[in-house]
Amino acid sequence: MTAGGGDDRYTVISADCHAGADLPDYKPYLERRYHDEFDSWAATYVNPYEDLLTDCADRNWDSERRLAELEADGIVAEVVFPNTVPPFFPSGSLTAPAPTAADFELRWAGLRAHNRWLADFCAAAPGRRAGVCQILLNDVEEAVKEIRRAVRAGLKGGVLLPGTPPGSGLPELYSLAYDPIWAVCAELDVPVNHHAGSASPPLGDEPAARAVFMVETTWFSHRALWHLVFGGAFRRHPGLRLVLTEQGSGWIPGVLDMLDYYHGRLVRAATKRATAESKFGAGLAEHMGGAPSEVWRDNCYVGASFMRPHEVPLRHRIGIDKIMWGSDYPHDEGTHPYSREALRFAYAGVPRKEAAAMLGGNAARVYGFDLGVLDPVAAKVGPTVAELAEPLAEPPEDATSPVFARGASVRVW
């Protein structure tokens, strides 16, 4: 499937956008038994995010403003990850630590409220939004029930897989404990999404902590790939799909080479009982199936938010059919309102068929968007083929997205 808004325009789907309700607006979506507790909590809660306290905050929940701004940016549809603070959370759910046993009931109620709100938000723009359902890993049975309910409610963006950072107290993602989650996602044909920021351990408040977080956060998010691969999730559930979002894409070829190396080395060592390494590879081949690069080819995708120029030449090694561009709207590191310029900066010179796949066709296939609905919209607002073919000489002076950063290079991870 390819995406084309007409003979001269691209159908652009952002595979990475963020939304959420204003805090008081979550209350109607909470079970009534939590209303009094919500009122008490909300009365004292202080939002820590400056961007959620400005006049621009309503980009998260104002459906008409959002559609208008995305269309003005050349984007006709979006995959919707969370952004605002759900009920009973200390922070946005992406970066909040795993709940304690005492916190779990209220946090879980808050995520269910968000999922209900998101279903209505997506329904307000039929065919234009794929909402991502949130779960917690503390109770796998309840998570499976919520996935089924959310998909029935129309959230076709799949599941947001939380991280299991060191110290979380949760089983690692390779654990068989999570097999019912992989099974239901494969059964319902919805992807498992793992977004950057959710897997890092707490680092404290020292000045270096923020820098260390920036250096390490994508690596902690990448761990979901090798955990599920070596854990055999894709062997047991061949229809399971994993999407790694806003973690860059340039790291993928090198990491797949490394994972293939360890896979081959450990499988070979398992046949040599006298070696010290034999115990590390014991049972691995039977447990996980094919090599990691084969699993990537068959089951995995990258939500390549604001793909950078130095990553684009690696597209064939990553897989043209694996890459889904994202704008990260409404974050200030995203490409809005300069998505057209960002696409020119990265994709000028890329053949049209390849660009169409990365900008919309792949996301339509993975998230179930109907191009019959989107192409007519793109025929009016999508960036033209000629426009994206023209290299961008200078980035806009007030652009804040890292896509325009000078001197960027492929990261180790």
Side-chain angles (χ1 to χ4, degrees):
M1 180 182 293
T2 60
D7 291 340
D8 63 345
R9 292 183 186 268
Y10 289 107
T11 297
V12 180
I13 300 170
S14 172
D16 180 30
C17 288
H18 296 264
D22 194 10
L23 191 57
D25 293 336
Y26 275 125
K27 184 176 178 178
Y29 293 93
L30 275 170
E31 291 98 324
R32 187 172 297 276
R33 67 181 182 273
Y34 298 114
H35 282 193
D36 289 345
E37 198 146 11
F38 174 78
D39 289 341
S40 299
W41 172 79
T44 59
Y45 183 75
V46 178
N47 198 314
Y49 303 109
E50 290 184 8
D51 63 320
L52 296 179
L53 301 173
T54 69
D55 292 340
C56 293
D58 67 344
R59 290 173 176 167
N60 288 281
W61 57 79
D62 185 328
S63 182
E64 292 305 315
R65 174 176 184 172
R66 190 179 183 98
L67 283 173
E69 291 195 353
L70 287 174
E71 287 186 7
D73 221 19
I75 297 166
V76 298
E78 56 175 329
V79 179
V80 186
F81 287 91
N83 199 42
T84 62
V85 179
F88 309 119
F89 270 70
S91 62
S93 53
L94 261 177
T95 56
T100 64
D103 295 334
F104 175 74
E105 180 183 354
L106 290 178
R107 295 269 196 96
W108 189 223
L111 286 194
R112 291 198 303 269
H114 172 83
N115 292 340
R116 295 186 190 104
W117 174 88
L118 184 58
D120 281 354
F121 187 70
C122 291
R128 309 285 294 275
R129 295 173 181 146
V132 179
C133 161
Q134 294 193 77
I135 60 171
L136 293 171
L137 297 178
N138 305 62
D139 188 323
V140 171
E141 183 178 346
E142 285 298 313
V144 169
K145 290 179 183 177
E146 181 62 12
I147 293 167
R148 290 190 181 279
R149 189 208 63 77
V151 172
R152 286 196 304 270
L155 294 185
K156 62 181 183 180
V159 176
L160 178 59
L161 178 65
T164 57
S168 70
L170 295 168
E172 297 284 2
L173 289 177
Y174 55 69
S175 172
L176 287 172
Y178 303 125
D179 222 46
I181 294 175
W182 318 144
V184 73
C185 290
E187 174 196 338
L188 299 177
D189 193 28
V190 294
V192 172
N193 305 276
H194 194 56
H195 193 285
S198 67
S200 299
L203 295 172
D205 298 320
E206 294 186 36
R210 288 180 290 278
V212 171
F213 174 85
M214 289 296 292
V215 170
E216 295 181 346
T217 186
T218 51
W219 181 86
F220 277 107
S221 297
H222 300 343
R223 294 174 77 224
L225 173 62
W226 50 84
H227 278 230
L228 268 67
V229 168
F230 285 117
F234 302 102
R235 182 190 64 80
R236 296 188 300 277
H237 309 287
L240 181 65
R241 293 173 295 158
L242 175 68
V243 180
L244 302 173
T245 299
E246 202 175 334
Q247 305 177 26
S249 58
W251 59 276
I252 292 169
V255 165
L256 290 177
D257 287 347
M258 177 193 69
L259 296 180
D260 277 356
Y261 163 75
Y262 276 108
H263 171 259
R265 173 179 164 182
L266 293 173
V267 168
R268 287 191 299 272
T271 65
K272 302 173 182 177
R273 302 300 180 190
T275 66
E277 280 194 350
S278 62
K279 63 180 181 294
F280 291 102
L284 184 62
E286 298 82 3
H287 185 65
M288 68 167 281
S293 59
E294 295 172 4
V295 176
W296 175 267
R297 181 195 65 205
D298 294 339
N299 301 89
C300 302
Y301 302 85
V302 57
S305 308
F306 40 81
M307 197 173 188
R308 299 159 176 83
H310 64 272
E311 295 172 310
V312 174
L314 297 170
R315 63 190 183 278
H316 294 286
R317 293 181 63 193
I318 298 166
I320 293 292
D321 61 336
K322 300 296 178 182
I323 298 167
M324 301 180 290
W325 178 86
S327 70
D328 199 30
Y329 176 93
H331 291 165
D332 60 8
E333 67 267 28
T335 55
H336 177 268
Y338 297 117
S339 292
R340 285 182 169 84
E341 289 82 358
L343 294 176
R344 288 174 56 196
F345 199 59
Y347 288 102
V350 172
R352 178 178 179 175
K353 185 176 180 180
E354 295 181 6
M358 294 186 287
L359 296 182
N362 295 336
R365 176 166 43 88
V366 172
Y367 291 104
F369 287 102
D370 183 350
L371 291 176
V373 172
L374 299 181
D375 284 349
V377 183
K380 300 175 183 177
V381 305
T384 67
V385 173
E387 180 183 4
L388 295 199
E390 183 180 351
L392 184 72
E394 289 293 333
E397 289 187 4
D398 58 341
T400 54
S401 175
V403 71
F404 298 115
R406 298 294 189 182
S409 61
V410 174
R411 294 181 298 191
V412 177
W413 58 75

